[in-house]
Amino acid sequence: MQSKYKIRLLRANLLAAAVALALWTPATPPAAALVLWLSVGWLFITALMLDFSHRRSRGLPWQIVPGALLLGLIAAAPERHGILIWAWAAMLMLPQNNWVAAFNLSAGLISSVMVAPLLNAPAFILLICSLLVLGLLALSRAQQLIDMNGSIRQRLRLIPGLNLWAGEQLLRDISREQTRCEREGVHAELFILHVKRHQLWPTAQKLCELTYDFENVYRLSSTTLATLILASSPKEASQRRSLLLADLPDNIASEHLELIDIEPAKLSVHEISKLPAERVRETI
């Protein structure tokens, strides 16, 4: 995984940036040195803690930290760190929420005003124009990455090697399994599990291990999993549910629905994950 997602390369780049900033600290004014060491510390800690995770989200508040540190570096010593103003183009290239992009754009303009006294009028106009062009190109690239990441998050198989699928696949599988059940006389149920947010991925992996290879597990939301249980009779399906729940955490709540009673054309993934409790609910 690390090789595929270039985590080692990114970690090396962060460590190299931390070393470069550390070498920049000698003969630096106290205020600028403080911000430099804060930046070095942030880069170093981020590099050490960095790891690929399917749970990582681009909407986390920590995304504002590098922009704040960059603005602090330029504000602390614009005559010394003015060259860092070009780093705003790289900041805007990162996938980020709109409010983070707005903050970075505003901080970039503020940085331009800070370095303006060091430039003559033509150089300042050239700087602003160049930053605007680079900023637009960076935002365009960031949008491409956001779209690509969105497609990855919505990909069908969520973890290579496990039968864990996105909720969108469940809607397709329900129609297919309904047809097979009618044709072969198989009893099928949709088994829904409600878990704590921090339990989702360990429970999903455990559920994949407990179910058969032909029974997929689906992530419906950050707190909801589902699987299709195939059995010869309702009694056997009930026994399967009991066995599954016995090997899962005790605080999991569950529901089950006969597959024949579900109309996938009238349900969305969100609606399935919020099915009312009176539809047969079990709590262990």
Side-chain angles (χ1 to χ4, degrees), residues 52-66:
F52 170 75
S53 173
H54 41 265
R55 289 168 285 185
R56 197 170 296 279
S57 169
R58 67 182 177 91
L60 294 176
W62 58 260
Q63 283 200 324
I64 205 170
V65 174

Side-chain angles (χ1 to χ4, degrees), residues 88-105:
W88 287 113
M91 294 295 303
L92 293 172
M93 194 180 294
L94 298 173
Q96 53 201 282
N97 277 346
N98 292 334
W99 66 273
V100 180
F103 170 82
N104 287 333
L105 280 171

